[in-house]
Amino acid sequence: MNATMEIFANACQYVHNNSDQKLTNNVAMQSLMYDTVREKFQLSAQTTIHAIRRVCSNRKTSITNHIKKELTFAPTSVDYDSRTFSLDTKKWIVSLKLLSKRTKFELLIGNYQRGILKGSKATSAVLTKRNDGTYYINIHVNHIVPEPKSTNKIIGIDLGRTDIASTSEGESWSGKNITSKRNHYYQMRAVLQRKASKGTRSSRRRCRQLQQRLSGKERRFQKQVNHEITTYLVKKAATNKNSIAIEDLANIRKRTNQQPRSRKERRLSNSWAFYQFRIFLAYKCVLHGVKLILVNPAYTSLTCHKCLHISPTKETTYRKGKNYHCLNCGWKGDADYNGAKNIAALGLSVNQPRGSEFLSCAVVLGLPKARAVKNLSAG
């Protein structure tokens, strides 16, 4: 398998280096490079096509994300489709086309994975090699999912650091213990890194072993918490036939990192996986037939959900930490709950055909109190 990955990566690098860097069309690239690549690297027809497709896909990603770094292809994965890969769910064996012939491998998976794969049609797979030398195969299956239905019942979710998530129904998940654990991991990594560069040979070796054991532990912890929260939210929405609305926080780190902040504040802001939370929420909503609505995050935390007056100045609002006080109508309460209610209202305006005019309020001349919602959109 290792030889297959090396040749596949070399083929991808060859296609990238010997073709127009701006060419991203699979069909055009295949007509130019297919014969040469297959003859030079002795790959099968489908594997050659997948190598060309990977180059085009990576180029598109670089252009979309404005990545200026030169593309490189490491020997860590190979793409397969239904012609070069098959799955036997009776014996739990996968058959893969390697360099010269097909080879069968036994799957070492749990009951959860078997339940998903049983009765499903495997369409493609990706064979991957991890840093520790173990091999994994990611199998892609097609599921028939229910069609999401429009409803007038929306759950708004406000994401943050003090509370990971707060809903418009008053539920919240505190981030206090999570922040404490993240600080613990950060301090432990700093101490081990310092001791790994000093001391005796045995102490340095022991510190390196501890570093290796702790590698990825915080990342797995974050993933588990995001899974638990999103699973609960989606199942509740599916049971009560609700839709879910969240803020579109794309490029939030790019925007916030431009502001002057301390090193600790920057670390805490950038360490939590908001994008992962959204991805988990999105695919679980698809599986359960729950409609997910993305709304513009502008002014959701500065607007009073009772009177709909935006309150950007100290004369019209009071907010300190989690406390929100609207001096226009007098409402007091949790700031994250207030933001979640605004997100739910925006989601409801998108979900109903009459539009968003019912979210507006009277404009008071001279004061930026009114909330303009005409330009807010959901993706």
Side-chain angles (χ1 to χ4, degrees):
M1 288 190 291
N2 193 39
T4 304
M5 290 184 177
E6 289 183 2
I7 295 178
F8 184 81
N10 292 336
C12 292
Q13 195 68 53
Y14 178 84
V15 172
H16 176 66
N17 295 337
N18 293 275
S19 61
D20 185 0
Q21 303 291 316
K22 297 181 180 180
L23 181 60
T24 59
N25 184 274
N26 293 333
V27 178
M29 181 78 80
Q30 184 175 330
S31 63
L32 292 174
M33 304 297 298
Y34 175 81
D35 293 333
T36 305
V37 173
R38 189 173 183 190
E39 180 180 357
K40 182 177 179 63
F41 296 96
Q42 298 298 310
L43 292 173
S44 65
Q46 288 301 114
T47 306
T48 303
I49 292 174
H50 283 302
I52 294 173
R53 288 178 178 175
R54 175 171 290 194
V55 174
C56 295
S57 176
N58 287 11
R59 285 180 177 179
K60 290 178 183 178
T61 302
S62 298
I63 294 173
T64 302
N65 297 331
H66 306 286
I67 300 176
K68 298 181 179 180
K69 187 179 179 181
E70 182 65 23
L71 282 179
T72 56
F73 298 87
T76 56
S77 64
V78 182
D79 297 331
Y80 289 91
D81 60 12
S82 58
R83 298 184 182 182
T84 55
F85 150 83
S86 64
L87 170 65
D88 184 355
T89 56
K90 294 182 180 179
K91 299 181 180 179
W92 295 110
I93 292 176
V94 291
S95 175
L96 301 175
K97 179 68 170 67
L98 299 182
L99 291 178
S100 57
K101 62 179 181 179
R102 277 183 172 266
T103 307
K104 294 182 179 181
F105 300 93
E106 181 182 358
L107 288 177
L108 303 177
I109 56 178
N111 291 330
Y112 175 76
Q113 289 78 12
R114 296 188 183 210
I116 295 177
L117 295 174
K118 194 74 173 179
S120 302
K121 183 179 180 180
T123 57
S124 59
V126 179
L127 179 66
T128 61
K129 180 182 179 181
R130 297 195 175 181
N131 294 332
D132 58 0
T134 56
Y135 292 90
Y136 285 77
I137 185 166
N138 302 320
I139 301 175
H140 306 156
V141 296
N142 290 332
H143 281 283
I144 299 176
V145 296
E147 189 71 21
K149 297 181 180 180
S150 297
T151 177
N152 60 355
K153 296 187 294 183
I154 307 291
I155 298 178
I157 302 176
D158 182 68
L159 304 180
R161 276 172 39 198
T162 305
D163 284 344
I164 298 176
S166 299
T167 71
S168 56
E169 297 182 345
E171 294 180 298
S172 64
W173 287 262
S174 175
K176 183 177 180 181
N177 293 334
I178 295 171
T179 301
S180 176
K181 183 164 289 191
R182 284 155 59 191
N183 289 334
H184 169 72
Y185 283 130
Y186 174 77
Q187 294 173 0
M188 185 176 296
R189 287 194 300 267
V191 171
L192 291 176
Q193 181 66 28
R194 185 170 61 251
K195 290 185 176 181
S197 60
K198 300 179 181 179
T200 62
R201 177 183 294 182
S202 59
S203 64
R204 294 198 304 269
R205 183 176 65 252
R206 179 57 178 165
C207 287
R208 287 193 295 268
Q209 291 174 350
L210 289 174
Q211 284 178 317
Q212 185 176 6
R213 193 177 72 181
L214 291 174
S215 177
K217 197 168 184 178
E218 182 179 353
R219 174 180 53 81
R220 293 191 296 272
F221 166 71
Q222 291 181 353
K223 184 177 180 180
Q224 178 65 24
V225 172
N226 281 340
H227 265 307
E228 292 176 353
I229 298 175
T230 53
T231 299
Y232 172 81
L233 290 171
V234 172
K235 286 186 176 181
K236 181 177 180 180
T239 302
N240 299 328
K241 297 181 180 180
N242 294 344
S243 295
I244 294 178
I246 62 172
E247 296 173 301
D248 186 3
L249 299 177
N251 301 319
I252 183 174
R253 289 193 175 99
K254 184 178 180 180
R255 297 194 302 268
T256 56
N257 284 338
Q258 294 176 352
Q259 303 173 3
R261 295 181 299 172
S262 65
R263 182 177 178 180
K264 180 179 179 180
E265 179 68 18
R266 185 182 296 268
R267 175 178 63 82
L268 292 175
S269 298
N270 294 343
S271 59
W272 191 254
F274 290 109
Y275 180 72
Q276 185 187 74
F277 187 98
R278 171 178 161 178
I279 293 298
F280 288 173
L281 195 67
Y283 87 78
K284 291 175 184 179
C285 283
V286 171
L287 291 177
H288 290 81
V290 176
K291 187 175 182 180
L292 179 65
I293 304 170
L294 303 181
V295 303
N296 193 319
Y299 304 111
T300 53
S301 61
L302 297 177
T303 303
C304 176
H305 74 279
K306 284 291 186 181
C307 63
L308 298 178
H309 278 270
I310 186 171
S311 306
T313 61
K314 293 182 178 179
E315 289 76 16
T316 55
T317 187
Y318 172 78
R319 179 176 179 179
K320 184 176 181 181
K322 287 180 61 59
N323 299 317
Y324 183 93
H325 181 196
C326 178
L327 300 182
N328 182 69
C329 68
W331 184 85
K332 297 180 181 180
D334 185 86
D336 293 333
Y337 172 75
N338 177 71
K341 294 289 287 185
N342 288 324
I343 295 170
L346 287 173
L348 182 61
S349 70
V350 173
N351 219 26
Q352 292 187 344
R354 57 179 170 171
S356 57
E357 291 193 48
F358 72 100
L359 285 179
S360 60
C361 63
V363 177
V364 179
L365 297 178
L367 290 176
K369 291 184 178 181
R371 177 165 190 184
V373 296
K374 279 286 190 175
N375 296 328
L376 294 183
S377 60

